[in-house]
Amino acid sequence: MTCTEFLAMLDELIDDDVSAQTRSELQEHLNGCEHCEVTLNTTRKTIEIYRSHEVYELPNSVRQRLHDAIMARCKHGC
Amino acid sequence: MATIQIGENEQHPDLALVASARTGDVQAFETLVNKYDRQIFRIAQHITQNREDAQDVVQDAFLKAYEKLDQFQGNSKFYTWLVRIAVNESLMRLRKRRTGKMVSIDDDIETDEGSVPRDLADWSPNPEQNYGQAELAEILRKTIQGLPHGFRIVFVLRDVDGLSTEETAETLGLSVPAVKSRLLRARLQLRERLSRYFRNKKAGEK
């Protein structure tokens, strides 16, 4: 397996959407390729960081104001 | 996380709330607002890149959803239906800011950047701990803002929000292969850009 072929399957590997056969081929490539191992690990980390850190917080005060506006309109028929 | 795995025959709890809201139960609708407003805000902010626009989108998307509850078919999740409304509202706001220029989720994706990883240095362990909370948030914001928005929105829906590939495709009106190719490139571009901050520093390197 080449690095390009490995990369083409990167998402499937990360999302655990591969057959046992493909997985072992990918694993075999990883064992001999430090670059692809770094790419896999750092891509996983990228996703994990974005998943666990809220980039755009909605402050409670704004949230309350939006709720009030939405509910007021709903109650009076939008 | 918004998505909850449920059995095929089990009804999603949102459906009961939608049914009540349809009969005029405003409280039931408020529950849905409470449940999803943060996610809708996040999606709107990622598309519009503008705080006021994103707040307007939250308000307009929920009001539009309430108005159109009768049209909700129930063959998709309420949340994905709501996201679709929010994405459209966001693109409309963006269009207004760009003085009427057409904006779609297909814009700006003609780039090969990131399709081949270049920065192959490993990252330091728990690299996010080298930055303060505010500094890290700024890095993450700046990095994702640099992505073409057709990639950014796929990444946010799929990886941050936890929608499936099929739901993301349905929500954005894209094909499944298009979502897959955008997701891979979004992930690789983000990785590449974050690498500048998170890579293992060699001795003497700043």
Side-chain angles (χ1 to χ4, degrees), chain A:
Chain A
M1 179 179 280
T2 64
C3 293
T4 310
E5 286 165 342
F6 178 87
L7 271 184
M9 293 300 291
L10 185 70
D11 276 351
E12 282 80 1
L13 183 62
I14 288 174
D15 298 332
D16 202 13
D17 187 17
V18 286
S19 65
Q21 163 77 23
T22 311
R23 173 175 297 279
S24 78
E25 284 168 28
L26 292 165
Q27 191 54 53
E28 198 184 322
H29 177 81
L30 272 183
N31 292 342
C33 182
E34 201 190 324
H35 284 172
C36 284
E37 200 190 359
V38 167
T39 302
L40 172 65
N41 290 340
T42 51
T43 305
R44 276 200 172 123
K45 186 75 190 167
T46 298
I47 297 166
E48 186 206 312
I49 287 181
Y50 273 102
R51 206 172 273 172
S52 55
H53 292 83
E54 186 56 81
V55 172
Y56 297 117
E57 294 281 1
L58 183 58
N60 276 332
S61 55
V62 178
R63 210 177 158 216
Q64 195 53 54
R65 181 171 60 72
L66 289 173
H67 277 209
D68 292 348
I70 293 166
M71 295 330 292
R73 292 268 299 275
C74 288
K75 277 174 191 147
H76 298 107
C78 311

Side-chain angles (χ1 to χ4, degrees), chain B residues 151-178:
Chain B
F151 288 1
R152 192 166 60 229
I153 188 61
V154 167
F155 178 81
V156 170
L157 292 179
R158 184 63 179 60
D159 278 343
V160 182
D161 232 14
L163 296 192
S164 69
T165 303
E166 288 71 20
E167 286 168 339
T168 305
E170 188 199 321
T171 300
L172 298 176
L174 292 169
S175 68
V176 166

Side-chain angles (χ1 to χ4, degrees), chain B residues 85-101:
Chain B
I85 296 175
V87 168
N88 287 334
E89 290 288 318
S90 302
L91 289 172
M92 236 165 59
R93 296 267 158 189
L94 198 59
R95 205 170 295 151
K96 267 188 204 157
R97 291 253 171 212
R98 294 185 180 176
T99 55
K101 199 180 142 221

Side-chain angles (χ1 to χ4, degrees), chain B residues 19 28 58 72 77-78 143 154 177:
Chain B
V58 172
F72 173 64
K77 279 192 212 145
F78 172 75
T143 303
V154 167

